[in-house]
Amino acid sequence: MPLSNIEIVHQDAALLVINKPTLLLSVPGRAEDNRDCLVTRLQDNGYPEARIVHRLDWETSGLIVLARDADSHRELSRQFHDRETEKAYTALCWGQPASDSGRIELPLRYDPPNKPRHIVDHELGKHALTFWRVVERCGDWCRVELTPITGRSHQLRVHMLSIGHPLLGDRLYAHEQALAAHERLCLHASLLCLTHPQTGERLRFESPAPF
């Protein structure tokens, strides 16, 4: 598959920062017909050394960093593990939250009977923390900025659902009205800050949401 609709935001000897389009896997799926993904497209089109550091869901668009050598991969992975990176997402959610900001601290786990969904589970779930802030209110929905402190799978989607505000266009978690409100999942990785693994410089990347 070509790179065509994949925007390279930044590249140097150590890393690539990509603006991932929606409906593209970050890494290959288990089935052979799911090989098409961001990392293989890069590897097949001039960046054979590209290594995934973190992931975005198939439907989520926005900023993602890949390493270009083993040492950079190790250091960037450490930064994500130790929560030294900063990430923020732009989303559209159904309804109008009563307040303008808040925090959601609810443990999450995978729900095998309903794969690939995740659920809140106070006994078996892993700690998850999200901060949210309303940016704009528009009738039946609002634009929010979501800041995940932890990095659990589907964290932002399940956390917003848990407070009664599912994301628009979310095929896994949205109710009928929220699903019909937009043709895609309205979740975009709009801010990414990290420390360059070779120079130590603090880097900041921003990408406006396409919705």
Side-chain angles (χ1 to χ4, degrees):
M1 292 287 181
L3 286 181
S4 58
N5 62 339
I6 297 175
E7 176 192 359
I8 298 176
V9 176
H10 171 88
Q11 63 176 309
D12 60 41
L15 56 85
L16 297 164
V17 177
I18 307 295
N19 189 12
K20 186 185 88 66
T22 186
L23 305 185
L24 181 66
L25 293 167
S26 295
V27 297
R30 292 181 180 176
E32 183 59 35
D33 59 356
N34 278 347
R35 184 177 180 274
D36 181 36
C37 65
L38 178 65
V39 71
T40 53
R41 285 200 196 184
L42 288 166
Q43 290 170 346
D44 292 347
N45 290 275
Y47 303 93
E49 74 290 343
R51 305 173 183 218
I52 204 79
V53 175
H54 63 122
R55 303 181 188 188
L56 295 177
D57 290 344
W58 175 63
E59 294 171 291
T60 304
S61 55
L63 297 169
I64 183 170
V65 63
L66 296 94
R68 300 188 68 181
D69 62 78
D71 289 341
S72 296
H73 182 265
R74 190 160 33 249
E75 169 56 18
L76 289 168
S77 298
R78 185 201 64 75
Q79 290 182 36
F80 276 87
H81 178 269
D82 294 345
R83 299 175 189 166
E84 294 178 4
T85 59
E86 296 174 55
K87 293 176 288 181
Y89 293 73
T90 300
L92 302 183
C93 71
W94 183 260
Q96 297 294 338
S99 57
D100 289 332
S101 63
R103 61 182 282 156
I104 307 167
E105 192 164 9
L106 292 170
L108 304 174
R109 70 163 173 84
Y110 181 47
D111 187 30
N114 297 295
K115 63 182 183 181
R117 289 168 58 97
H118 288 67
I119 58 171
V120 173
D121 187 327
H122 291 279
E123 293 184 0
L124 302 175
K126 294 181 178 180
H127 175 253
L129 174 60
T130 301
F131 290 95
W132 60 269
R133 178 175 66 87
V134 175
V135 177
E136 177 186 14
R137 295 182 183 269
C138 299
D140 290 335
W141 55 271
C142 62
R143 183 177 298 271
V144 292
E145 180 185 74
L146 304 176
T147 304
I149 304 305
T150 51
R152 307 300 177 200
S153 293
H154 295 189
Q155 175 176 320
L156 301 177
R157 301 160 73 174
V158 179
H159 269 178
M160 291 306 291
L161 174 68
S162 74
I163 62 168
H165 300 288
L167 301 190
L168 302 192
D170 191 338
R171 298 179 219 183
L172 283 180
Y173 301 102
H175 53 59
E176 187 175 348
Q177 290 171 295
L179 180 60
H182 210 285
E183 68 274 5
R184 61 157 287 183
L185 170 66
C186 293
L187 182 61
H188 180 79
S190 51
L191 172 70
L192 177 62
C193 300
L194 52 87
T195 301
H196 195 282
Q198 293 181 351
T199 68
E201 178 187 1
R202 192 66 175 171
L203 303 177
R204 178 186 177 94
F205 303 99
E206 295 186 62
S207 169
F211 45 77

